[in-house]
Amino acid sequence: MLRRTAPAATLVIASLLTPALASCGSPQSAADRETRYTQVIEDETPRAQDVIDAVGAPYEALRSDDGSILCRYNATSVEDDEGPAANAWRLYGPDGDIVAEHAEHMDVVEGENEDPGPFYAAPDGFVFLPSVKDGFFLDVRGERHAVKSSDKPLTFGRGDVLLSGGKHRLLRTSTHTVAPAAGVPSTRDLTFTALDERGTAWGVRQPEGSEPYRVTRREDGRPERSRDLPDRLLGEAIAARGGTAAVPLEKPIGRDDTLFTGLFVTTDDGKSWRTLRNSDRLPLNEFKRGLSEIEVQVLDDGRVFIQGDDATPLIADTPANRSFHKITEPAHLTSVFARGNTLYGIADSDVPSYDHVDGEGLWRSQDGGRTWTRFPGKGD
């Protein structure tokens, strides 16, 4: 199947085969698939279905609080980093029915991002925000609403979304308003990277010199609380939800190498922390030395999920986060991520390719990665 994978920083998600392609007696030739792909990216007014059929694997998926899924698909030249392209998104309801979709033609310039701008998951829908002027709120019924801009700072609140991109900005989803985030210290060494569902901000101080890294917690109207990390932060992010927070740790080895040494975890809203090290309960020897980033997520029920590089992802057995198990992969998964209490996995090619992949598609597990089914599951 034709595909163009997205940059490594973005999540990749699952393919949907068209009925015609799924039922044909023999696979299309590489030449036929390449011809069809070229037609799609050169089309000035592409249809979402055509982009999805051509690409096969979306590069990002977001989930709203009611279980609706927004998948994004990107088709660019497989052989070149610039030229014509097509981008599409499709909104699925919780049961897998198609609610809304959109596609557009693009011209990609080498070295620039290959999507039109960021989407954010929010209560009751999703926000598209390349800029406030061009942005919109897409509710779970597929209807669009205008996004407003305000210079008046907002304190963190329940349901707010912390926007990426340097300065701390908030999206107040109840009014569809983007504004500066109030109550965030303007120090260079502090970055807030997680805003949980209650409006509590979590981040890490990364001081210069030999001072220890510190994990920080701030909620509206209360002083910041912080705690020293036992090792250096691995990557840049902290994950938090429902009173549970987890920070990946690393130590330098030799001149240029690092080792993933453990997790710093709280399950009581930062009142107490414990360090989890490599053991039979947490088999970190799955992960290679020299990792630049470990992705840690927290499920709605408080279980911690860990993945990085080619290691088999790990998920906690219970919300106590004292023991972990490896997920069972239904196919070669290029990405796995948590949404709510569900794991989603993507079977796709590791590199841009015209070829099919065994088990290609979006998979969903509701038992901690032990068993999987396809999404949306209606003909796939």
Side-chain angles (χ1 to χ4, degrees):
M1 180 168 288
L2 304 170
R3 69 181 51 76
R4 172 64 177 177
T5 56
T10 57
L11 294 176
V12 182
I13 256 213
S15 72
L16 300 168
L17 301 177
T18 64
L21 188 58
S23 62
C24 60
S26 59
Q28 292 176 307
S29 69
D32 290 339
R33 296 196 302 269
E34 184 172 357
T35 298
R36 179 62 183 139
Y37 191 83
T38 301
Q39 292 173 344
V40 170
I41 65 175
E42 292 180 350
D43 189 343
E44 295 289 336
T45 57
R47 297 189 313 137
Q49 186 66 58
D50 291 337
V51 178
I52 293 167
D53 289 347
V55 177
Y59 64 92
E60 182 176 45
L62 302 170
R63 182 180 185 272
S64 189
D65 53 357
D66 77 330
S68 296
I69 299 288
L70 181 78
C71 291
R72 304 183 72 189
Y73 306 80
N74 205 34
T76 63
S77 174
V78 171
E79 289 81 16
D80 201 347
D81 290 331
E82 58 183 357
N87 191 274
W89 55 258
R90 174 175 280 173
L91 174 62
Y92 295 93
D95 57 0
D97 289 336
I98 298 173
V99 176
E101 59 187 23
H102 170 79
E104 60 187 281
H105 175 79
M106 300 189 304
D107 289 299
V108 175
V109 178
E110 185 175 4
E112 293 189 3
N113 204 338
E114 297 173 354
D115 69 43
F119 264 97
Y120 298 89
D124 302 318
F126 308 87
V127 180
F128 178 58
L129 208 63
S131 67
V132 175
K133 179 180 178 181
D134 299 324
F136 59 85
F137 177 80
L138 180 71
D139 67 31
V140 294
R141 297 175 300 278
E143 299 176 1
R144 300 189 187 194
H145 308 268
V147 174
K148 298 171 287 186
S149 177
S150 173
D151 294 328
K152 182 180 179 181
L154 295 172
T155 55
F156 301 127
R158 184 179 295 273
D160 288 347
V161 177
L162 186 64
L163 304 178
S164 58
K167 296 181 179 179
H168 291 112
R169 294 188 305 153
L170 285 180
L171 170 70
R172 176 69 33 94
T173 54
S174 59
T175 60
H176 306 153
T177 301
V178 173
V184 179
S186 57
T187 53
R188 289 187 304 170
D189 66 343
L190 175 61
T191 302
F192 281 107
T193 59
L195 185 62
D196 68 22
E197 78 286 358
R198 304 160 307 164
T200 301
W202 301 78
V204 175
R205 288 190 181 276
Q206 304 183 50
E208 298 179 358
S210 59
E211 294 182 13
Y213 285 65
R214 296 182 66 85
V215 60
T216 68
R217 178 187 181 279
R218 178 182 290 269
E219 56 185 319
D220 185 18
R222 298 189 183 183
E224 176 186 316
R225 297 207 318 245
S226 63
R227 183 72 64 94
D228 287 356
L229 297 184
D231 295 332
R232 192 171 66 182
L233 169 72
L234 173 56
E236 299 178 351
I238 181 173
R241 190 142 188 100
T244 294
V247 184
L249 304 171
E250 71 172 5
K251 279 185 178 178
I253 299 176
R255 290 189 192 171
D256 341 89
D257 220 346
T258 59
L259 181 66
F260 180 23
T261 59
L263 289 176
F264 198 45
V265 177
T266 179
T267 57
D268 58 8
D269 227 12
K271 297 181 181 66
S272 63
W273 293 80
R274 67 179 185 274
T275 304
L276 307 178
R277 301 293 190 183
N278 181 39
S279 68
D280 290 341
R281 289 175 169 261
L282 180 64
L284 296 185
N285 49 13
E286 281 283 303
F287 299 87
K288 300 176 183 177
R289 294 186 177 191
L291 288 171
S292 60
E293 186 174 358
I294 286 286
E295 185 178 5
V296 177
Q297 299 175 45
V298 178
L299 281 69
D300 281 357
D301 62 9
R303 285 176 294 162
V304 173
F305 172 75
I306 313 165
Q307 70 171 339
D309 285 359
D310 296 327
T312 302
L314 303 175
I315 185 171
D317 297 318
T318 71
N321 294 305
R322 295 186 179 278
S323 64
F324 291 70
H325 65 267
K326 301 176 186 178
I327 69 165
T328 300
E329 299 191 12
H332 171 59
L333 300 181
T334 54
S335 180
V336 185
F337 56 94
R339 298 287 187 266
N341 287 324
T342 301
L343 294 182
Y344 293 86
I346 298 85
D348 193 16
S349 172
D350 289 315
V351 296
S353 170
Y354 292 120
D355 296 327
H356 293 274
V357 174
D358 289 341
E360 185 178 44
L362 172 60
W363 297 81
R364 177 170 62 180
S365 174
Q366 296 175 309
D367 61 0
R370 293 182 172 88
T371 61
W372 298 80
T373 57
R374 285 188 180 268
F375 181 88
K378 295 185 177 183
D380 293 327

